[in-house]
Amino acid sequence: MNRRTFLLGTFATTAAIALGVNLYSPEFSSTDEQTEGKDYRLLFSVLLPVLLDGALPEVASHKLAAQNRTLDAINQSIAALSESQQDELFQLLDMLENRLGLLVLTSSMTPLLMRSPSELTQMLENWRYSYFSLMQTAYLGLRELVMASFYACPEHWSRIHYAKPVLFK
């Protein structure tokens, strides 16, 4: 075996292992209870400040409370979706948590947690104005889920000066 063959063999083996690790889906090895408990709270906590820019309160404690309330509302909104919509959303969220999926969706393997708000905004804007309708659908799905969950909470209505109509006096 010469040096070139050894290096090519090592490179091919490393690439195959890296690809296998990225394609490995833990759903085949875990129980249903483990997959049902996954709520993507960390992923949404990264995207919330970007998608709700200007809508969140300025005070840090109020901002944190609004984010936590919105994260709870997101879980409730997801539970209200049809099973096929939940599956599509979970596929997108799994891809955003997987480095290979991130590479396909964002052209970068840097985890979303390590990206600055401006980088996240740029990523979402690229999806919004993408030539691929699938990317636009991903952007709209995430945005509508977050916005609907945020404004579903009555305590957030005062920021847009909305008052619930009085039906009976």
Side-chain angles (χ1 to χ4, degrees):
M1 175 183 296
N2 64 16
R3 183 176 171 192
R4 178 175 284 179
T5 305
F6 174 74
L7 289 175
L8 285 175
T10 304
F11 177 73
T13 303
T14 303
I17 290 172
L19 182 64
V21 167
N22 278 319
L23 293 178
Y24 172 72
S25 179
E27 66 192 26
F28 295 119
S29 63
S30 62
T31 63
D32 289 340
E33 296 169 359
Q34 290 173 336
T35 57
E36 287 178 3
K38 196 171 185 178
D39 62 358
Y40 303 98
R41 199 170 178 92
L42 184 60
L43 178 65
F44 279 114
S45 68
V46 172
L47 294 174
L48 273 181
V50 175
L51 290 169
L52 295 173
D53 187 31
L56 291 171
E58 298 294 327
V59 179
S61 61
H62 295 284
K63 184 176 185 177
L64 183 61
Q67 286 179 341
N68 286 332
R69 178 73 170 106
T70 305
L71 291 172
D72 293 339
I74 286 173
N75 285 335
Q76 293 171 350
S77 298
I78 290 174
L81 295 174
S82 70
E83 190 170 324
S84 64
Q85 290 172 325
Q86 285 183 8
D87 290 342
E88 289 179 1
L89 180 64
F90 290 150
Q91 285 176 356
L92 173 65
L93 297 174
D94 282 340
M95 286 184 75
L96 288 175
E97 287 188 340
N98 184 332
R99 287 193 177 217
L100 186 61
L102 270 177
L103 181 64
V104 171
L105 291 174
T106 67
S107 303
S108 172
M109 291 180 77
T110 304
L112 295 181
L113 283 172
M114 298 177 70
R115 296 185 188 187
S116 68
S118 63
E119 291 173 330
L120 291 171
T121 301
Q122 183 63 40
M123 176 194 83
L124 292 171
E125 289 297 314
N126 287 341
W127 288 9
R128 182 179 183 184
Y129 297 110
S130 175
Y131 293 109
F132 301 109
S133 63
L134 190 62
M135 300 297 275
Q136 292 175 355
T137 303
Y139 169 78
L140 289 174
L142 281 178
R143 184 177 184 279
E144 293 299 318
L145 177 65
V146 169
M147 295 301 233
S149 299
F150 180 76
Y151 287 113
C153 304
E155 61 266 23
H156 300 152
W157 294 350
S158 63
R159 295 200 43 96
I160 57 173
H161 305 290
Y162 176 76
K164 183 179 178 180
V166 178
L167 299 176
F168 303 103
K169 290 186 178 183

